[in-house]
Amino acid sequence: ILPDGEIRWMWTRGEAFRIDDTVERVTGVTIDISESKELELELDREKERLQKLFERIPVLINVYDEDRNFITINKYHEQVLGWTEDDIKENSLLELCYPDPEYRAEVLDDILNLNKGWKEYRVVTKDGDERYQMWTNIVLSDSTFVGVGYDITEQKILEEQIKRERKELEVIFDNMPVLINIHDKHASIGQINKYFAEKFGYSKEAVREKNVLKLITQEKDFELAKQQIAKSDGSWVDFDLVTKSGEIISTTWINVTI
């Protein structure tokens, strides 16, 4: 410690010269290693930060050396999949997570070819459950392989649920014996139900290509229909509309915003 309070690190090596068991003089070398010591301390701090990140980040990480020998996994990896480091040391992680040989070969091919980007995989847990996960592989400068993944199982379940509910709603939408159309704020009709298509003679595909509102309203009612759509205040209005064949049908409409 210097007089001004600054701390310096020194490396010293010396040799004592003795005469009759009495030290006559000491010679040696002292080198200031403060800068290298600070670098060493900073490296230790950086390792500590990376280790904490490795253990706490909510993504799955597994690490292998350049010869594909297993090194480690992080805690989140074990929490999600259940496989421990001991399990992986006794068995191949690929065999544990991908028990189907054909599917495992596909995964291994992706790993060996270091396909860039993220890819979805079906991964088997220790309990036998199947999880959907996104994985990518990274090669570090020392040829260490790092697999990084995140779990999307709940997201997939939610997506499937939304698809099922949407399909059910479409069935209801198409089979209700009332005229239903979905339009934007500019009165452009983008979707109709089956009953609408049958009554007016326009297919669902034609609706996307033509101004159906203009086709089904009489000239005197077109602007009024647009105004009613723009308001979408839940009030009912009667319109005599025109089918594709020219037939006039009496209808009553309500427009609401969703």
Side-chain angles (χ1 to χ4, degrees):
I1 301 177
L2 301 184
D4 60 2
E6 180 184 0
I7 298 175
R8 306 294 295 180
W9 291 87
M10 302 293 178
W11 179 89
T12 300
R13 184 170 185 177
E15 182 179 359
F17 290 89
R18 300 173 181 273
I19 298 177
D20 297 330
D21 294 329
T22 301
V23 176
E24 293 292 326
R25 67 180 188 278
V26 176
T27 61
V29 176
T30 299
I31 303 174
D32 189 331
I33 59 168
S34 299
E35 291 186 6
S36 61
K37 189 65 177 180
E38 285 300 323
L39 289 174
E40 181 182 330
L41 292 173
E42 179 59 31
L43 180 60
D44 289 341
R45 288 191 290 267
E46 186 67 21
K47 286 181 178 178
E48 182 182 1
R49 286 193 289 265
L50 290 174
Q51 185 63 33
K52 287 182 179 179
L53 178 65
F54 180 79
E55 293 299 338
R56 298 178 184 178
I57 190 171
V59 297
L60 296 89
I61 302 175
N62 54 60
V63 185
Y64 287 78
D65 66 20
E66 59 182 327
D67 296 319
R68 305 296 197 279
N69 295 312
F70 172 72
I71 297 177
T72 188
I73 57 173
N74 67 338
K75 287 184 180 179
Y76 190 74
H77 191 293
E78 182 176 338
Q79 289 171 3
V80 174
L81 296 180
W83 302 112
T84 65
E85 290 197 350
D86 289 339
D87 293 328
I88 299 169
K89 288 174 182 176
E90 293 178 5
N91 305 276
S92 163
L93 179 60
L94 287 178
E95 291 179 358
L96 295 173
C97 292
Y98 309 101
D100 178 69
E102 292 186 9
Y103 191 60
R104 183 167 66 247
E106 179 185 330
V107 176
L108 180 59
D109 184 65
D110 289 340
I111 295 173
L112 295 177
N113 291 318
L114 293 175
N115 291 339
K116 294 182 179 179
W118 295 88
K119 186 174 179 180
E120 180 181 318
Y121 297 97
R122 302 187 312 274
V123 186
V124 176
T125 70
K126 191 171 184 177
D127 293 333
D129 297 329
E130 192 172 70
R131 308 286 299 183
Y132 291 92
Q133 297 176 346
M134 300 294 292
W135 281 90
T136 189
N137 294 288
I138 303 168
V139 181
L140 304 183
S141 58
D142 63 353
S143 297
T144 298
F145 289 83
V146 181
V148 181
Y150 62 94
D151 200 279
I152 59 170
T153 306
E154 281 69 30
Q155 177 185 331
K156 290 280 289 187
I157 292 173
L158 181 59
E159 288 175 354
E160 290 301 319
Q161 181 181 342
I162 291 172
K163 285 180 182 178
R164 287 195 302 271
E165 292 178 354
R166 181 179 290 125
K167 191 172 182 180
E168 292 170 358
L169 288 173
E170 286 176 353
V171 171
I172 296 171
F173 178 78
D174 263 341
N175 288 279
M176 289 182 69
V178 293
L179 304 167
I180 303 176
N181 68 69
I182 298 176
H183 51 74
D184 62 22
K185 62 181 180 180
H186 304 296
S188 177
I189 296 175
Q191 188 176 354
I192 59 174
N193 69 339
K194 184 179 178 181
Y195 189 74
F196 188 110
E198 290 174 348
K199 275 291 184 180
F200 287 99
Y202 294 104
S203 67
K204 293 183 178 182
E205 290 71 26
V207 167
R208 301 186 186 97
E209 301 170 357
K210 300 178 181 179
N211 186 338
V212 175
L213 181 64
K214 195 166 188 178
L215 293 174
I216 66 174
T217 53
Q218 300 182 66
E219 186 175 350
K220 64 183 180 66
D221 293 330
F222 180 60
E223 289 302 323
L224 177 60
K226 287 178 64 177
Q227 292 171 15
Q228 186 67 12
I229 288 174
K231 286 195 302 183
S232 292
D233 59 358
S235 60
W236 290 90
V237 178
D238 295 337
F239 286 99
D240 289 332
L241 301 179
V242 185
T243 68
K244 189 175 183 180
S245 64
E247 178 187 357
I248 303 295
I249 57 175
S250 297
T251 66
T252 186
W253 288 87
I254 185 173
N255 290 281
V256 292
T257 302
I258 57 175

